[in-house]
Amino acid sequence: MTRVYVYSRFNRFWHWLQAVLVTLLLVTGLEVHYPGMDLFGFARAVEVHRMAAWSFTILIVFAIFWHIVTGAWHQYVPTRRFLPEMVGYYLSGIFRGKKKPVAKTPESKLNPLQRIVYTGLKILIIPVLVTTGFLYLFHNELAGFGLGWLSLGVIAAVHMFAALLMLAFMIAHIYLVTTGKHPLDSIKAMISGWEDLDE
């Protein structure tokens, strides 16, 4: 095992801020859709949701810029190389103590399965969430752009479905983060930037 600096400051800042904002959006969004929940109160939940949505949008713009400028975008390019092995690892090998078929390096942090999931998240789920969120937010103004025919109910349903996919991703992500040699290793790495990697 070698201690390696894997996650840059911006990488960690972006990751944790995104986690906080997505959690806020999920909690306040559920409260807006299910008035029986009463954590913030409806009006405050709407206000916090709107603020978190704008913050998340700004963060996305900065993260895209950072990924392009640093070349980190290549980490997400999907590949089929070792994909069956990674699927097999997550389905059974992980429970039998098998070693990961693809080792993490600072230049290649994501395995083939993660690349596909993260790419889907970045080009499908997040764009749908942002687009439907803004359609929802500016629904009253849509008629002026010839989009008055868009149903608020349909927009809300698509937005909620994408939010549930994001929630499923977060649950899987949190679970998989704890499957290393020690349950908190990956979390510590995302705090300090340093991780013990196989040579």
Side-chain angles (χ1 to χ4, degrees), residues 35-76:
M37 269 182 79
D38 193 21
L39 295 172
F40 292 92
F42 182 82
R44 183 81 175 132
V46 169
E47 184 183 319
V48 171
H49 194 82
R50 185 174 295 145
M51 182 262 324
W54 280 108
S55 300
F56 187 54
T57 304
I58 292 165
L59 181 63
I60 288 169
V61 171
F62 276 107
I64 289 170
F65 177 76
W66 179 80
H67 279 87
I68 291 169
V69 169
T70 63
W73 61 269
H74 79 275
Q75 300 265 354
Y76 301 96

Side-chain angles (χ1 to χ4, degrees), residues 72-83:
W73 61 269
H74 79 275
Q75 300 265 354
Y76 301 96
V77 176
T79 178
R80 289 186 296 191
R81 190 166 180 223
F82 297 112
L83 183 59

Side-chain angles (χ1 to χ4, degrees), residues 57-130:
T57 304
I58 292 165
L59 181 63
I60 288 169
V61 171
F62 276 107
I64 289 170
F65 177 76
W66 179 80
H67 279 87
I68 291 169
V69 169
T70 63
W73 61 269
H74 79 275
Q75 300 265 354
Y76 301 96
V77 176
T79 178
R80 289 186 296 191
R81 190 166 180 223
F82 297 112
L83 183 59
E85 290 85 349
M86 284 310 303
V87 171
Y89 171 77
Y90 283 123
L91 288 177
S92 67
I94 195 170
F95 303 110
R96 293 182 291 150
K98 297 276 186 186
K99 195 172 177 180
K100 276 188 182 175
V102 178
K104 181 191 293 186
T105 68
E107 296 77 31
S108 184
K109 297 172 192 155
L110 304 175
N111 67 54
L113 196 55
Q114 288 173 315
R115 286 175 180 238
I116 290 170
V117 170
Y118 280 86
T119 299
L121 187 71
K122 291 177 183 302
I123 66 170
L124 291 174
I125 296 173
I126 290 175
V128 167
L129 277 169
V130 171

Side-chain angles (χ1 to χ4, degrees), residues 3 5 7 12 16 185 187-195:
R3 195 154 175 76
Y5 189 66
Y7 303 106
R12 288 176 281 143
W16 290 113
D185 284 350
I187 294 169
K188 288 177 184 174
M190 192 49 84
I191 292 170
S192 70
W194 294 86
E195 188 168 5

